[in-house]
Amino acid sequence: MATPHRASPNCVLLLLVACLLHHRVAVESLPDEAGLLLQIKRAWGDPPALAAWSADASAAGAHCRWPYVGCDSAGSVIKLALASANIIGAIPDAVGGLSSLTHLDVSSNSITGVFPTALYHCHSLRYLNMSWNDIGGELPGDIGNGLGANMSTLDLTFNNFNGTIPASLSRLRDLQHLALGWNHLSGSIPKSMSKLQNLRSLMLQENSLAGTIPAELGKLTSLQELGLANSPFDAGTIPPGIWGLKKLRGLSLCENQLTAGDVVVDGFAAMSLRMIDVSDNNLTGIIPEVFGHLRNLTYLLLFNNNFSGKIPVSIGLLPLLRILSLSSNRLTGTLPQELGKHSLGLSYVYVEDNNLTGQIPQWLCAGGQFEQLGASNNLLNGSIPVGLARCHTLQYLDLHSNQLTGDIPGSLGYDMPLLQTLNLANNELSGSIC
């Protein structure tokens, strides 16, 4: 009987080497994009969220079934949806090899480094969201030339970018949403932004932008949302052309050091406005009457300015009004007496520190959603309305330092489980609170 052949140690070693080489060749022979995805995974330190991205899945098109990956019918990667995937590190250059990529979302991670110019190679890219990360440095001056001409959404909010806003962004003519807020950007807003005629939202708030708000923004006829809040703009006013934007729904210009003159609303056409926030400026003049004719207006925030004159009666007729904040101005006259009667979702009214007279409207709680009334430091008179004293949803009521008279309603504070703050001091009221 023949003696079984025993492999020598050298043969075993050669066999192991051959197996390793075969495995390496298998990885390198994976479809190109699968290999790129594995490079991206390794560059990020093999995060647990990408554990399913594996070289073992070497069949053609297998990478299209990996989590966070989307492919077209030809098997090309067109989407990476990696929001909140606990990724740490910079965007790898390998991303630029995904030539068919149209959608990249790495928001809410711990992405570091600078803006990844490797994305310039992704000529089909339309959606880029890198918000809520730790990316810093200056935005590349050629960003508008490098990114794909089809770019529709660019969201870089909540990062650490500094420097100026590149004028080249105006070359992205298909751009619909541009969000650069909550960074450290400085300098002025490029006037060339007016070339972005498809732009629907422009969000630049919470930066260190200076200069004046360009009048050219009034040429963005598709604009629906404009956010420029909390930047130290030079003394100026709101460009009248902004009020002429027919599709505008949200306007946030608070804390911008705007000082010059009245709010000019000649040619007003922004009848779709739902939110107006020009608080914490030094704007003067009267509250425009047209504000009371905005049937979709939900939030009207004008506090901490120098508005004078009367509150338009028409504001009390707004059907969707939820928050009215007019505190710390120089307003006179009365509160609209039908306030709350037509605005069944009314929840908050703040008019402290003005010179308002007359009675508190009796309809504030008519919709059953009213929560807070701040009207201290005025000249309000009359009694506390019974409807307000029976408002079961009320959480905050501050009427101190007025000229209110009469008995404190016995129902005030009784069976009002949500009431946390009640201040009636410095009035001429009588009675006690249960």
Side-chain angles (χ1 to χ4, degrees):
M1 181 175 178
T3 303
H5 177 75
R6 295 181 61 189
S8 69
N10 289 337
C11 290
V12 173
L13 180 60
L14 288 172
L15 182 61
L16 289 173
V17 171
C19 290
L20 290 172
L21 287 173
H22 175 76
H23 179 74
R24 181 175 178 180
V25 170
V27 172
E28 292 178 349
S29 63
L30 282 173
D32 288 344
E33 291 192 332
L36 289 170
L37 292 174
L38 292 177
Q39 288 181 45
I40 294 168
K41 175 187 175 183
R42 286 194 296 269
W44 282 335
D46 295 313
L50 305 184
W53 293 17
S54 171
D56 295 332
S58 58
H63 63 287
C64 293
R65 296 186 291 275
W66 292 351
Y68 311 108
V69 178
C71 294
D72 60 15
S73 58
S76 297
V77 175
I78 60 172
K79 183 176 183 179
L80 290 180
L82 292 160
S84 303
N86 294 315
I87 292 169
I88 301 172
I91 301 290
D93 287 344
V95 173
L98 301 172
S99 58
S100 298
L101 193 66
T102 64
H103 180 112
L104 176 61
D105 185 353
V106 292
S107 60
S108 301
N109 284 288
S110 297
I111 304 296
T112 56
V114 298
F115 184 88
T117 55
L119 293 174
Y120 291 0
H121 300 293
C122 302
H123 301 299
S124 300
L125 194 61
R126 292 182 53 83
Y127 180 95
L128 176 58
N129 187 346
M130 299 196 298
S131 62
W132 291 92
N133 280 291
D134 296 308
I135 309 169
E138 296 188 5
L139 291 173
D142 64 349
I143 188 172
N145 302 318
L147 290 176
N150 297 320
M151 180 68 64
S152 64
T153 296
L154 178 59
D155 188 348
L156 305 178
T157 52
F158 290 100
N159 277 285
N160 292 307
F161 290 111
N162 54 46
T164 59
I165 299 174
S168 68
L169 285 170
S170 64
R171 296 180 62 87
L172 301 174
R173 301 301 171 84
D174 286 344
L175 202 60
Q176 297 180 20
H177 305 284
L178 176 59
L180 305 176
W182 287 275
N183 280 285
H184 307 289
L185 299 171
S186 57
S188 59
I189 300 173
K191 295 180 180 180
S192 58
M193 288 285 186
S194 62
K195 297 178 181 178
L196 299 174
Q197 287 298 299
N198 292 309
L199 202 62
R200 297 181 184 179
S201 63
L202 177 60
M203 313 304 286
L204 306 178
Q205 60 267 55
E206 301 289 338
N207 279 290
S208 298
L209 300 173
T212 57
I213 298 175
E216 287 78 5
L217 296 184
K219 299 177 181 179
L220 297 173
T221 54
S222 298
L223 201 63
Q224 298 177 11
E225 306 288 339
L226 178 59
L228 304 178
N230 201 12
S231 275
F233 290 110
D234 298 344
T237 190
I238 303 169
I242 288 178
W243 301 114
L245 296 173
K246 294 182 179 180
K247 297 181 179 180
L248 195 64
R249 297 184 303 182
L251 177 63
S252 177
L253 301 176
C254 62
E255 297 185 66
N256 283 333
Q257 301 185 25
L258 302 175
T259 59
D262 302 350
V263 175
V264 179
V265 292
D266 293 343
F268 193 98
M271 300 304 295
S272 297
L273 274 166
R274 299 176 182 176
M275 188 269 285
I276 299 173
D277 185 357
V278 296
S279 58
D280 281 307
N281 285 289
N282 290 300
L283 298 169
T284 59
I286 63 171
I287 297 174
E289 171 67 30
V290 70
F291 287 0
H293 297 278
L294 301 174
R295 306 299 291 173
N296 295 316
L297 193 63
T298 306
Y299 307 99
L300 181 57
L301 311 176
L302 310 180
F303 61 90
N304 289 350
N305 278 287
N306 286 307
F307 287 111
S308 56
K310 298 180 179 180
I311 301 172
V313 173
S314 55
I315 286 178
L317 307 178
L318 292 172
L320 299 180
L321 190 64
R322 184 167 184 264
I323 298 178
L324 176 64
S325 185
L326 309 177
S327 301
S328 300
N329 281 284
R330 295 185 290 118
L331 299 171
T332 55
T334 64
L335 281 165
Q337 288 303 296
E338 294 199 6
L339 191 62
K341 184 176 182 180
H342 307 278
S343 315
L344 298 183
L346 188 67
S347 299
Y348 307 93
V349 173
Y350 305 109
V351 292
E352 302 100 326
D353 301 310
N354 282 286
N355 295 300
L356 298 172
T357 57
Q359 297 186 340
I360 299 169
Q362 62 176 318
W363 302 101
L364 293 175
C365 203
Q369 298 187 44
F370 194 69
E371 297 179 11
Q372 299 192 16
L373 172 61
S376 59
N377 291 311
N378 280 285
L379 302 170
L380 298 174
N381 52 48
S383 59
I384 298 174
V386 173
L388 185 62
R390 293 176 177 173
C391 188
H392 301 302
T393 57
L394 195 64
Q395 300 175 11
Y396 176 94
L397 179 61
D398 188 355
L399 303 176
H400 85 265
S401 301
N402 279 283
Q403 297 177 1
L404 299 173
T405 58
D407 293 334
I408 297 173
S411 56
L412 187 62
Y414 178 76
D415 195 22
M416 300 177 75
L418 302 178
L419 188 62
Q420 297 178 4
T421 300
L422 175 61
N423 191 346
L424 308 178
N426 297 325
N427 282 284
E428 298 175 21
L429 297 164
S430 57
S432 59
I433 301 172
C434 296

